[in-house]
Amino acid sequence: MIYWGIFMTTIAVFGHKKPDTDAIVSAIVMTYWLNQQGIDAKSYRLDDINQETKFLIELAKVRLPELLTHLEPDQLAALVDHNESQQSTAHLADANICYLVDHHKLGDLTTAEPAYIRFEPVGSTSTILYHMFMEKNLLTSQQMATLMAGAIISDTLNLTGPTTTDSDKQALQAVIHLAGIHDTNRFANQLFDAKSNISDLTDDALVTTDYKQFMFSNKKWAIASIETVKPDVVLSRTDGIQQASELIRQRDGLDYMLVIIVDILKQQSWAVGSNDAQNEIIEQAFDTRLNDKLLDLGHLVSRKKQFVPTLEAFYAK
Ligand code: MN
Ligand code: MN
């Protein structure tokens, strides 16, 4: 059979399933970084994009990466913004991973051959990519700078979230300048407003837009995050969110499905568990009490740096 989509010598570049803005932007920018060095690469996405990403892609006037439908045997692949097989394409076993750029904890992936592997404990993969452009003295374009600015703001909640580092602040300042953006806070508000526009989303889509699976001990969890500047709008849909998450839990063969609603501006969050057993785990792990279907998580906002480590610590006991 002949596939017209991709040649084996072309590196397929992609971020995680249920992509956030950093996952899509990292794929596009990493592809540009490779292409600038004469390396054949093409960016892909693993799922539909969210409203924030759509706004940014249109603002930067770049093409949306195509949906990845398959990989050739031994297809060269560059993974960005993730490194756990559960968060990647189901076709990953066919791939030959040659690049890996990420800011999450080290996961379960391995490579068949020596690869370019780049991890930094910073707020976004786009911050690492900015460093990679600088190190190679490669010029980035205004379009790429706009994308990186949006992704850094998205992942760090405009430099206010707990994952923010000085590197992110410096990178954002540089790409904002290159992008020709005059008012960073206005730009951030436009991104957050786009992300908070959920009126067209079904409860299932609301819960699965930013959804990641994890193994804790031998339990299969999914943690969904709904980041918003309009928490009242999301909280008014708590019943629907809970019903949708129980259906997703059954559909995806999960032990537990957790939905976390994050107020970006006030930096606080609430969790919705899918059943009583899970609510008890959350009460214990986060030292909180169930109150009318909601578990108040206080000022925690980061899945990567707060929710996942807390659940790992709970299961390690
Ligand atoms: Mn991501
Ligand atoms: Mn990221």
Side-chain angles (χ1 to χ4, degrees):
M1 189 182 295
I2 299 167
Y3 288 107
W4 296 103
I6 188 163
F7 296 101
M8 271 187 58
T9 52
T10 306
I11 301 173
V13 186
F14 50 88
H16 53 82
K17 287 193 282 197
K18 298 295 173 185
D20 53 12
T21 295
D22 193 38
I24 296 292
V25 165
S26 300
I28 299 171
V29 175
M30 177 79 190
T31 301
Y32 187 89
W33 181 83
L34 290 165
N35 291 163
Q36 289 293 94
Q37 298 170 76
I39 300 167
D40 193 11
K42 186 176 173 189
S43 55
Y44 290 89
R45 62 188 161 89
L46 301 188
D47 279 306
D48 286 341
I49 59 169
N50 68 36
Q51 291 296 317
E52 178 191 69
T53 312
K54 184 166 178 281
F55 168 82
L56 183 64
I57 293 263
E58 285 169 5
L59 184 76
K61 298 190 174 70
V62 293
R63 225 177 284 139
L64 179 65
E66 283 173 29
L67 197 61
L68 185 78
T69 54
H70 71 282
L71 289 168
E72 299 293 308
D74 288 324
Q75 173 72 52
L76 295 174
L79 271 59
V80 288
D81 200 39
H82 73 298
N83 77 101
E84 303 211 28
S85 53
Q86 287 181 93
Q87 294 163 11
S88 200
T89 166
H91 308 290
L92 199 61
D94 294 332
N96 181 357
I97 300 167
C98 53
Y99 288 87
L100 179 54
V101 180
D102 193 14
H103 67 129
H104 294 85
K105 78 183 184 79
L106 189 59
D108 63 333
L109 280 181
T110 186
T111 63
E113 290 173 44
Y116 178 107
I117 296 185
R118 179 76 177 254
F119 281 64
E120 287 185 44
V122 293
S124 77
T125 300
S126 294
T127 299
I128 308 173
L129 287 165
Y130 174 74
H131 294 163
M132 288 162 58
F133 275 96
M134 292 298 104
E135 286 162 15
K136 292 224 179 259
N137 285 316
L138 290 171
L139 290 177
T140 167
S141 65
Q142 186 179 16
Q143 286 180 309
M144 295 301 127
T146 302
L147 292 176
M148 285 189 273
I152 296 170
I153 287 170
S154 173
D155 258 20
T156 65
L157 308 178
N158 196 16
L159 305 179
T160 65
T163 60
T164 309
T165 66
D166 285 343
S167 292
D168 300 301
K169 294 176 187 170
Q170 287 156 14
L172 180 59
Q173 198 178 17
V175 290
I176 282 282
H177 179 72
L178 289 168
I181 294 166
H182 300 295
D183 187 339
T184 307
N185 289 332
R186 180 170 172 268
F187 176 55
N189 287 336
Q190 287 175 320
L191 290 165
F192 295 153
D193 280 346
K195 180 158 32 192
S196 305
N197 178 9
I198 58 165
S199 54
D200 289 346
L201 297 181
T202 62
D203 291 330
D204 184 285
L206 178 60
V207 167
T208 55
T209 295
D210 181 352
Y211 162 98
K212 286 182 180 171
Q213 292 185 7
F214 301 89
M215 289 300 293
F216 298 126
S217 183
N218 59 347
K219 298 293 183 193
K220 192 173 173 188
W221 279 67
I223 305 179
S225 176
I226 305 172
E227 293 177 343
T228 181
V229 291
K230 294 170 186 158
D232 292 349
V233 175
V234 182
L235 291 169
S236 72
R237 292 174 61 172
T238 300
D239 286 348
I241 288 170
Q242 186 168 45
Q243 284 156 19
S245 35
E246 177 56 17
L247 289 175
I248 292 160
R249 191 186 71 79
Q250 292 171 22
R251 182 189 70 199
D252 292 359
L254 304 165
D255 291 296
Y256 299 112
M257 166 80 194
L258 185 66
V259 180
I260 296 174
I261 301 160
V262 176
D263 179 341
I264 299 173
L265 298 180
K266 290 205 178 126
Q267 297 263 317
Q268 55 180 302
S269 66
W270 301 267
V272 182
S274 46
N275 56 44
D276 292 342
Q278 183 179 24
N279 286 334
E280 279 171 33
I281 292 174
I282 300 301
E283 285 184 333
Q284 284 181 43
F286 292 88
D287 191 22
T288 182
R289 281 272 160 269
L290 185 67
N291 183 3
D292 195 20
K293 296 186 181 166
L294 291 172
L295 294 138
D296 188 342
L297 300 182
H299 288 288
L300 304 183
V301 295
S302 169
R303 177 169 47 202
K304 168 181 349 78
K305 207 159 179 170
Q306 296 170 327
F307 305 132
V308 168
T310 302
L311 286 166
E312 280 183 330
F314 174 82
Y315 276 103
K317 275 189 208 150

